[in-house]
Amino acid sequence: MKLATVRTATGTTAVRVEGDRYVDLGVADVGALLALPDWRERAAAPGTPLDGPVEFAPVVPRPGKVLCVGLNYRTHILEMGRDLPEHPTLFAKFAEALIGATDDIALAPESDAVDWEAELTVVIGAPVRRADEAQAEAAIAGFTVMNDVTMRDWQFRTKEWLQGKTFEGTTPLGPVLVTPDELPGGVRPALTVTATVDGETVQKADTSDLVFDPVALVRYASTILTLQPGDVIATGTPGGVGHARKPPRYLADGSVLVTEISGIGRLQNRARTA
Ligand code: ZN
C-alpha cells in the first residue's frame, strides 16, 4: 500500500495512492492516520476518489520527531578510510525544515554551502519503547524518501551539527509512504537510492549496504525514548555529497535536485533563494 498527504483547498488530507488514482481517506494527513490504532484497516477502506492533479505535502507534515543518522553506508565509510562505527550517530531536524515532494528548497541567504543527502527514511506506525527485534519490525509502518539538505558551513561551525541540519523549508519528505510488504527485503529493504543535480547523477547506492539497518535503528532509538506513530528516522546518506567533491559543489538558485528510491518514489525540488 502507498499512502500520501496531499494539499486541499482547506488544508491537507491523507490518501491511498493506486497508480495515478488517489483515494481520500478522510483523515487530515498520514501522521494523523498512523496515530489511529486501526490505521491499516482505515487505509485499506474504500474511501472517496480524489480528482487530480494533486500537490504533495510532506508525507508526515509535522512528525513529533525527525531523527537522522550520520555515517551509515558501509562502502562509503570504508572508502573514506574510517572504521565502521560501533554506535549510530544520531541528530535531529524539526518539522519546520520539511517541504513537499515538488516544493522549492529555500536557500537561506546566510549559507553559501547548501548540500544534498539522499536517504531512505523509516516511518513509525505504532508506539514502541525498548523494542526487541520483532517489536521493532512491527513498529515500522513503511518507508519514504528524504533529502537531508544541509547547510555545510553552519553544520561545521561547531562540533554539534544541528544548526546546519534544520534550516526552514529545506528538506523534502515523500512523496509517499510504502508499506514493507511491497518492498524487496521488507523492513530491511534492498533498494537503489539516487540523487541527481541538474540531471547529473551525484549519488547512487543500495540501501542494503547500511551498517545499522532500519530495524536496528528503531531498536536503538527506542532505547532512548518512545517512538510514536508518524515519527521518522532518516537512515543516512551514501557517498557523493557535494561537500566531498573537489572542488566542492553546492546547490545554487535554480538548481534542480531529484532524489529517488526504486519502489518508493521521487522528489523533485528546485532550489530558490529565500
Ligand atoms: Zn543525512
Side-chain angles (χ1 to χ4, degrees):
M1 191 155 45
K2 290 188 169 73
L3 303 170
T5 301
V6 301
R7 296 190 177 117
T8 65
T10 53
T12 59
T13 190
V15 297
R16 181 173 68 248
V17 183
E18 298 176 348
D20 54 4
R21 293 180 61 243
Y22 301 92
V23 177
D24 190 342
L25 299 172
V27 182
D29 59 61
V30 169
L33 177 70
L34 295 174
L36 304 172
D38 64 343
W39 71 263
R40 286 181 175 82
E41 289 73 34
R42 289 289 294 268
T48 316
L50 197 77
D51 288 334
V54 301
E55 184 182 299
F56 292 104
V59 63
V60 181
R62 298 202 62 82
K65 296 185 272 303
V66 182
L67 295 173
C68 305
V69 180
L71 307 173
N72 199 18
Y73 275 83
R74 197 178 309 270
T75 313
H76 178 54
I77 294 167
L78 295 175
E79 85 187 356
M80 301 294 285
R82 302 186 195 219
D83 293 331
L84 293 180
E86 197 177 336
H87 307 292
T89 296
L90 292 187
F91 57 93
K93 285 186 184 256
F94 299 101
E96 284 79 357
L98 300 177
I99 58 175
T102 60
D103 292 347
D104 288 346
I105 295 165
L107 292 182
E110 297 85 359
S111 176
D112 299 316
V114 183
D115 201 353
W116 52 83
E117 296 194 353
E119 308 198 7
L120 174 72
T121 299
V122 179
V123 184
I124 299 297
V128 66
R129 180 83 203 275
R130 296 195 175 93
D132 64 20
E133 193 91 348
Q135 290 165 335
E137 292 181 4
I140 294 175
F143 294 91
T144 189
V145 186
M146 189 173 105
N147 200 305
D148 173 19
V149 168
T150 300
M151 279 51 181
R152 296 292 181 205
D153 38 4
W154 285 71
Q155 178 186 4
F156 296 124
R157 280 184 168 193
T158 59
K159 269 173 71 176
E160 299 290 337
W161 297 351
L162 177 84
Q163 54 187 320
K165 287 290 189 176
T166 195
F167 265 72
E168 187 145 318
T170 56
T171 301
L173 179 72
V176 297
L177 176 163
V178 182
T179 50
D181 57 292
E182 291 201 5
L183 297 171
V187 289
R188 297 176 183 81
L191 306 169
T192 303
V193 53
T194 55
T196 70
V197 177
D198 295 333
E200 181 193 337
T201 300
V202 289
Q203 293 187 285
K204 183 167 190 173
D206 187 322
T207 60
S208 60
D209 190 39
L210 292 174
V211 178
F212 303 102
D213 70 30
V215 176
L217 292 172
V218 169
R219 293 194 65 184
Y220 189 85
S222 77
T223 307
I224 303 166
L225 76 181
T226 303
L227 299 178
Q228 302 285 358
D231 286 352
V232 299
I233 307 175
T235 60
T237 202
V241 299
H243 190 71
R245 294 166 68 118
K246 292 189 174 53
R249 178 175 172 186
Y250 301 112
L251 298 178
D253 189 33
S255 298
V256 175
L257 176 63
V258 174
T259 315
E260 191 161 12
I261 299 182
S262 58
I264 302 180
R266 171 188 169 100
L267 308 168
Q268 178 164 333
N269 305 89
R270 185 177 294 272
R272 285 284 184 215
T273 301

